[in-house]
Amino acid sequence: PMYSAVSTQSTWVSDGCHEWRRSRSAAPCVSTGTFRFKSLPAGKSVYQVKHVLQRGSRACAVFPNICALVNVTTEESHASSFELLAHSSCAVGEVVPCDFDGENLLLVDWLTEPSVLFRIVHLIRAEQCEATDLPKSKWITLARLWAGDYLVYVAAETLAYIYDFRKGRLLQRLSGHRAEILAMDTQMPKSIATLSADAEVRLWNGRSGELLQTLQVSEASFLFGYPYFLEIRGKNILLSADEGVYLFEFEGEGATDSHTDEEAP
């Protein structure tokens, strides 16, 4: 099965999507919804799925010639006219989805060397725009969507850039990490969190670029090169490392803007 973990909910894909949420009862997790691909109008199967991305209760299943938007909690689905094959001249692997914010799909195009090209596709309105002329675009290693209008990306290992792809201008440059940035959380409406290879978590004000808080996770190591994960919920910090998954708390107020998703019961 394929696995996508974004937010406190997780989606397992075998013949569809299944959503879980942490419970405050004796049971560690409770199921909050299931969706099967065979219920789609096009009758798609799991064997045709190329990518699955999730943000909160919304999942995006990308097929070669269609894209399905699924609310795993309500089991509602919507077929988008977006076609992955239409963006690839020879093979699907040339253009790859790398993030989904519930409405927009972020695509990275590897054919535009020496620098990469990012396309942002609104899956409901079938609108798209391109993020071009990005600073340090030759050295981008990680990219995420933030606050509807922004692309947050890591370049030259230790720097994070916030780029307004609607207006085509750079908003902020986040500097201060001393090791490569491995993961980011861009689900909060005002704040951005970054995790670096020296086990340092930094919380930033995305609008002003101000560093709000820093946490050193001395127990964690990042040597295996996994696709590491980071998420902030209020004072809680969830991250993955070589040893497993860690849950910590920020001192003070933490990320007061938190996520816009509903809180777990």
Side-chain angles (χ1 to χ4, degrees), residues 51-52 58 110 150 158 165 185 225:
H51 306 275
V52 176
R58 297 181 180 181
W110 298 108
Y150 301 96
T158 61
F165 58 80
D185 181 7

Side-chain angles (χ1 to χ4, degrees), residues 163-183:
Y163 184 83
D164 187 333
F165 58 80
R166 307 283 185 192
K167 298 180 180 179
R169 63 181 180 88
L170 184 67
L171 177 65
Q172 293 294 340
R173 176 178 176 268
L174 309 179
S175 62
H177 275 292
R178 294 157 294 189
E180 181 182 0
I181 299 174
L182 302 175

Side-chain angles (χ1 to χ4, degrees), residues 151-207:
L151 173 67
V152 183
Y153 66 91
V154 176
E157 296 189 345
T158 61
L159 301 175
Y161 293 84
I162 305 175
Y163 184 83
D164 187 333
F165 58 80
R166 307 283 185 192
K167 298 180 180 179
R169 63 181 180 88
L170 184 67
L171 177 65
Q172 293 294 340
R173 176 178 176 268
L174 309 179
S175 62
H177 275 292
R178 294 157 294 189
E180 181 182 0
I181 299 174
L182 302 175
M184 296 189 294
D185 181 7
T186 59
Q187 298 185 71
M188 296 170 285
K190 299 178 182 178
S191 305
I192 294 169
T194 53
L195 167 67
S196 57
D198 57 356
E200 184 179 67
V201 177
R202 291 191 170 213
L203 182 65
W204 311 81
N205 182 314
R207 306 290 179 179

